[in-house]
Amino acid sequence: MEQRILVVLPHPDDEAFGLSGTLAKYISQGAQVTYACLTLGEMGRNMGIPPFATRVTLPEIRKKELEQSCRAIGIQDLRMLGFHDKTIEFEDQEQLDGRISALLTELNPSLVITFYPGFSVHPDHDACGAAVIRTIGTMPEEHRPLVHCLAFSNNHEQSIGKPDVIIDVKDFLNAKMESIKAHRSQFQAAELLGNGKLSDKEIQDRFGTERFWTYAI
Amino acid sequence: MLLINKAEVQRMIDQFQGQELYVHLEMTTGAYAAHLDSSKHPAATFISNARIRYSQGSISGDGPYRVGLKMDHGWVYSEGLTHYEDGDMQRLIMAGHDSQGKLVVALQLSREPF
């Protein structure tokens, strides 16, 4: 059982589809979760239908959505690190790694969850995962936490194989769906849930399992 | 955001003419474009808080709209604009949204940085 978990992801809503059920499950078993969200997703393309957000108002809206999602999951500690959407791969690495390193020192997590670098589609995802892996790689081996990665690029299994951590989250689908729905500016996107309403069975099949790859550092 | 009112936007463009402004100009097909459909080209570009001053500017078309701003040494051009922020007299916030509501293009002008 993991007691202290640090989640490092770049965008509000990155937590919702891939690991909200797992986090809700761990939290129900007593885990303390810190979620470090690098940006406010301020360059997102979904603005509601019809659009209710602008480039100017989107950061504040997505911040509130993120807070609501964290409440739905039960996350005890949310940190918003203030980086700018789409720029993580261009950031000063020393500064980025320094922020992650400070969190690792402060929280001493037994498990860190992030994106699998190179297999997570969005440049921010890959750069976020790479920064976490790089930073943990500088720690003495005996102090390194376990690292579980999310991956979803096309054909990722051909390179990194099948996920070795498979979490059944069917008992936590309420929290997961509330987390997804909290991201109201993103939620209406057709590619996420489609246009129709999903049946309970479809929700279970589609969202009932979450998958991670243990990263060997 | 409301559908663009061409006359209102033209009034705002006229109001800012000849002034030092901050511009945010952006176009994107989204980071997931090719992930979801390999025939799509993932492209995104933005420039934020560059300083400009234009001597002439107008909105054109019947919707989606085009905006062109003539500067001393070049142009700012944007096509595909559909929505604007109604009632904001300090800034001109415009965006082009596709049929799924996603932002494709943005053009914003303000006397203060964004």
Side-chain angles (χ1 to χ4, degrees), chain A residues 17 46-49 183-195 206, chain B residues 100 102:
Chain A
F17 281 91
N46 297 309
M47 306 284 218
I49 304 172
H183 296 286
R184 195 167 75 89
S185 63
Q186 311 299 308
F187 176 61
Q188 291 150 310
E191 71 269 21
L192 299 186
L193 287 184
N195 294 319
R206 193 154 162 199
Chain B
Q100 294 183 322
K102 289 177 192 297

Side-chain angles (χ1 to χ4, degrees), chain A residues 2 4 14 37 43 45 48-49 69 77 87 105 109 112 120 127 129 150-151 160 175 180 216:
Chain A
E2 305 301 339
R4 295 204 65 89
D14 284 340
C37 190
M43 299 307 290
R45 300 180 68 219
I49 304 172
S69 166
D77 182 22
T87 67
T105 305
V112 175
S120 299
L150 293 155
I160 59 174
I180 292 170

